Amino acid sequence: MKKIFLADHAGYCFGVKRAMKLAWDELENRENKNIFALGPLIHNKQAVEKYEEKGLITINDIEDIDSKNVNPKEVIIRSHGVAKEVYDQANEKKLEIVDTTCPFVKKIHELAKESYEKGKKIILIGDKNHPEVIGINGWCDNKAIIVKELKELFDIELDYSVEYVVVSQTTMNEREFDVIIDYLKDKNINMVVNNTICSATKVRQQSAREISNKVDLMIVIGGKHSSNTQKLVSICKESVDTIAIETKADLIDFDLGKYDTIGVTAGASTPDWIIEETIEYIENGVI
Ligand code: SF4
């Protein structure tokens, strides 16, 4: 009999749970409204499909919304948040806004905006292509210095005449963040560090690390485009064989037979039902 360990804090975090509920409530009460999501609601294809079946229309750009159509229109801003200019565009188009930006991300927007307006320079530790990072940068006029890895800082000329304010993408790996901060401290620049890595991310990464130290195999469930899922994968890989899956169907061709102890964790955009189905498959092998 296999031993299965499910990590604490696997699956939806507070911010995603809140955003998904707000969006679902809108869809339940939509009457004749067209409801758009600006980008996939979360990085989980299966969950997004459920919302689309209920009537949600996913778009990639607010310009894709045709204002001439007579039905009232509403745009959902997802938990990652967006730049200030997106709110301006939505207001210009007279769209109703349902803002599901996670309150923790909102705080970073405020910090970036206030600091920038006071003449400070923002260093944003994160992935420049991630929607959350693009959104944060949009609150400081897209002027943040964005770095994901220490080596990216080597080519940047630091200015000793200004004050830097450091913030982070909420899902950054804590260790990578610390390495970058240590480097900046050594450079003796004038800076204020705000570790804005979300506590949900920290505890999720910590429990994935703990479990991966006591099992033969880790299974990480989450969307292929989910940054926090990919970070869990790399953390688990430091200790043990690790596979990344989106659903239990990805396990069909994988030989679980040779593993006695299996750990399971999941990214912040993975619904409970996908985690439950996966555990059931590991236990019983039935799709
Ligand atoms: S990981 Fe944290 S910051 Fe991001 S949505 Fe979840 S609760 Fe909010």
Side-chain angles (χ1 to χ4, degrees):
M1 183 75 176
K2 286 189 193 315
K3 264 195 161 175
I4 301 168
F5 296 88
L6 173 62
D8 295 333
H9 314 284
Y12 281 179
C13 60
F14 149 78
V16 168
K17 209 179 272 178
R18 172 181 171 275
M20 296 303 271
K21 180 172 185 334
L22 287 170
W24 192 259
D25 289 349
E26 289 304 314
L27 291 166
E28 292 257 86
N29 302 307
R30 78 189 179 105
E31 295 170 351
N32 64 341
K33 257 189 247 170
N34 287 326
I35 304 186
F36 298 87
L38 197 47
L41 214 45
I42 51 172
H43 287 143
N44 186 285
K45 195 162 67 101
Q46 294 72 22
V48 168
E49 277 167 8
K50 278 202 169 184
Y51 281 66
E52 289 177 342
E53 278 160 23
K54 185 100 179 150
L56 184 69
I57 306 162
T58 304
I59 50 164
N60 289 318
D61 194 307
I62 211 152
E63 294 304 328
D64 296 342
I65 300 176
D66 179 6
S67 323
K68 288 183 213 99
N69 182 311
V70 286
N71 281 347
K73 283 168 274 310
E74 187 172 282
V75 64
I76 297 180
I77 292 174
R78 55 193 176 164
S79 58
H80 291 134
V82 292
K84 182 184 176 300
E85 66 172 354
V86 176
Y87 290 90
D88 296 343
Q89 285 172 314
N91 287 329
E92 262 169 44
K93 282 181 169 284
K94 306 208 178 338
L95 302 172
E96 234 181 90
I97 299 174
V98 177
D99 192 353
T100 76
T101 306
C102 175
F104 299 135
V105 177
K106 270 260 186 248
K107 272 199 179 150
I108 309 177
H109 291 175
E110 284 157 19
L111 198 52
K113 179 175 180 285
E114 277 169 25
S115 308
Y116 179 73
E117 284 173 355
K118 286 182 185 156
K120 299 173 186 177
K121 283 199 175 175
I122 314 297
I123 297 178
L124 171 50
I125 303 176
D127 175 356
K128 65 178 186 309
N129 298 314
H130 191 279
E132 182 190 307
V133 170
I134 294 169
I136 296 168
N137 196 21
W139 288 89
C140 54
D141 210 13
N142 297 310
K143 296 274 172 47
I145 297 169
I146 305 174
V147 288
K148 188 173 147 196
E149 292 174 36
L150 178 60
K151 63 180 181 206
E152 294 170 35
L153 263 178
F154 297 159
D155 296 331
I156 293 171
E157 205 171 313
L158 295 163
D159 183 346
Y160 287 84
S161 66
V162 296
E163 185 180 324
Y164 287 96
V165 171
V166 185
V167 294
S168 166
Q169 183 178 345
T170 55
T171 49
M172 263 305 286
N173 181 322
E174 189 94 30
R175 287 187 184 172
E176 286 164 16
F177 176 85
D178 289 342
V179 167
I180 292 174
I181 297 303
D182 286 346
Y183 172 85
L184 290 170
K185 278 184 183 158
D186 278 352
K187 290 281 158 192
N188 253 328
I189 54 170
N190 181 10
M191 69 170 178
V192 175
V193 178
N194 300 277
N195 181 340
T196 51
I197 299 174
C198 166
S199 58
T201 306
K202 287 183 207 168
V203 289
R204 184 186 309 272
Q205 291 178 353
Q206 206 178 330
S207 73
R209 194 169 272 124
E210 280 165 17
I211 289 201
S212 61
N213 279 321
K214 62 177 185 188
V215 295
D216 306 325
L217 173 75
M218 274 304 285
I219 297 176
V220 181
I221 316 167
K224 285 196 180 78
H225 302 292
S226 157
S227 126
N228 75 87
T229 303
Q230 301 318 317
K231 287 194 185 95
L232 289 175
V233 173
S234 57
I235 285 169
C236 297
K237 273 188 177 166
E238 287 170 15
S239 321
V240 72
D241 280 356
T242 300
I243 51 170
I245 62 165
E246 285 200 338
T247 66
K248 63 178 179 177
D250 296 330
L251 285 174
I252 295 172
D253 294 328
F254 190 83
D255 180 13
L256 292 172
K258 57 182 176 174
Y259 300 101
D260 294 326
T261 51
I262 298 178
V264 176
T265 187
S269 335
T270 308
D272 286 350
W273 52 272
I274 292 187
I275 301 173
E276 284 155 17
E277 280 181 1
T278 303
I279 290 178
E280 206 181 308
Y281 176 78
I282 302 168
E283 281 172 343
N284 307 317
V286 181
I287 284 286

